[in-house]
Amino acid sequence: MKIIDVRNVTWIRDDSTILHDVSWQVESGEHWCIVGLNGSGKTTLLNMINGYIWPTRGQLSVLGHTFGEFDLRELRKSIGWVSSSLQQRLYGSETALNIVLSGKFATIGLYDDFLQEDLTKAYSLLQLLGCEKLTNRRYDTFSQGERQRVLIARALMASPKLLILDEPCTGLDVFARELLLNMVDNITKQPDAPTLLFVTHHVEEIMPVFKKTLLIKEGKIFRAGDTLDLLNTELLSDFFDAPLDVERRNNRTWLLPSSNITEEKLKEDYVNEH
Ligand SMILES: Nc1ncnc2c1ncn2[C@@H]1O[C@H](COP(=O)(O)OP(=O)(O)OP(=O)(O)O)[C@@H](O)[C@H]1O
Ligand SMILES: [Mg+2]
């Protein structure tokens, strides 16, 4: 069974084509990074995968269900989605434990009765994400990195088959980012780990466990395939429309603007100003 099967999907809003003829397949057992600049269509594609918007043209199926033939609310129970908009909707007075427990019911706030086994699971997820110390503390006292990790634990509480992390490293310092990336790596090693989709602007966040990468540019799939085939100087310079140097370190790819980019830019700016 394919986890995601997007076929020739186009999405048009207000006379502009936001997604152009997108086709993309995610097989079971694969973890994907989705990389693209601001406004390239990443979140739009995820909104579609969650059934919040419908393709103008084309077809998609998620976790084996074809859109239009089943209850979307049921599907959403199998998908965990961590994004900045979720972060803002949570109540600051809730403890990390309650936030994680509420993930079972997909509610903002904890209203339902939970079982002892739910409590055990919540504790072990807090531990998996390195958040034990936060268990009984209020959410509004957490740092950005702590918030993200608690939200990932919350998403895992419902045992999703697909876990979407939309720019989880935004606002994190270099150490908080490495910690979060390590935790993400730990998730993939768990039995029954969900398929992961990790959205980012930064190529260096692509951990080795993400063997597949989708490069999206101006609403089109630029390339989709094996990460190692895509992250090279030529292809990435083309993708970002800028000369770049690529360095491999610790099984990850680091981007550096090539030495003449600054000079070229400066010249351009100089010419524009004078
Ligand atoms: N409901 C909508 N109506 C009109 N335009 C929209 C709508 N939703 C998104 N767009 C536009 O579609 C484009 C892609 O937006 P999207 O949020 O998918 O980008 P993104 O790749 O997630 O960007 P970022 O990295 O900044 O999060 C943007 O130009 C955005 O303004
Ligand atoms: Mg986005």
Side-chain angles (χ1 to χ4, degrees), residues 42-44 166-167 199 201:
K42 303 180 296 295
T43 301
T44 304
D166 193 353
E167 296 180 42
V199 179
H201 298 128

Side-chain angles (χ1 to χ4, degrees), residues 23-155:
S23 293
W24 176 44
Q25 282 82 41
V26 173
E27 304 287 343
S28 157
E30 294 176 347
H31 300 298
W32 282 75
C33 265
I34 303 174
V35 182
L37 294 177
N38 292 124
S40 53
K42 303 180 296 295
T43 301
T44 304
L45 183 59
L46 300 178
N47 270 318
M48 201 170 272
I49 287 165
N50 278 274
Y52 292 116
I53 58 173
W54 289 76
T56 310
R57 284 194 292 276
Q59 284 180 338
L60 75 153
S61 71
V62 176
L63 298 169
H65 302 291
T66 304
F67 276 31
E69 293 173 7
F70 66 98
D71 185 351
L72 285 170
R73 283 165 305 181
E74 279 305 307
L75 172 73
R76 287 190 202 125
K77 286 186 191 159
S78 310
I79 305 178
W81 191 1
V82 178
S83 66
S84 52
S85 69
L86 170 65
Q87 204 180 107
Q88 285 148 17
R89 294 209 315 273
L90 293 171
Y91 302 132
S93 57
E94 291 275 10
T95 61
L97 181 63
N98 279 5
I99 285 176
V100 174
L101 282 168
S102 69
K104 180 184 175 187
F105 313 103
T107 52
I108 304 289
L110 183 62
Y111 311 101
D112 299 79
D113 294 333
F114 51 85
L115 308 169
Q116 181 58 41
E117 66 194 54
D118 298 329
L119 206 51
T120 309
K121 184 170 180 179
Y123 282 129
S124 80
L125 287 171
L126 282 163
Q127 191 181 20
L128 178 69
L129 273 299
C131 300
E132 302 100 310
K133 284 192 188 143
L134 307 174
T135 305
N136 295 310
R137 243 171 69 190
R138 286 169 61 110
Y139 177 71
D140 56 10
T141 66
F142 301 165
S143 72
Q144 180 67 8
E146 290 166 345
R147 282 178 191 201
Q148 283 293 9
R149 286 187 278 123
V150 168
L151 289 193
I152 295 172
R154 178 183 189 274

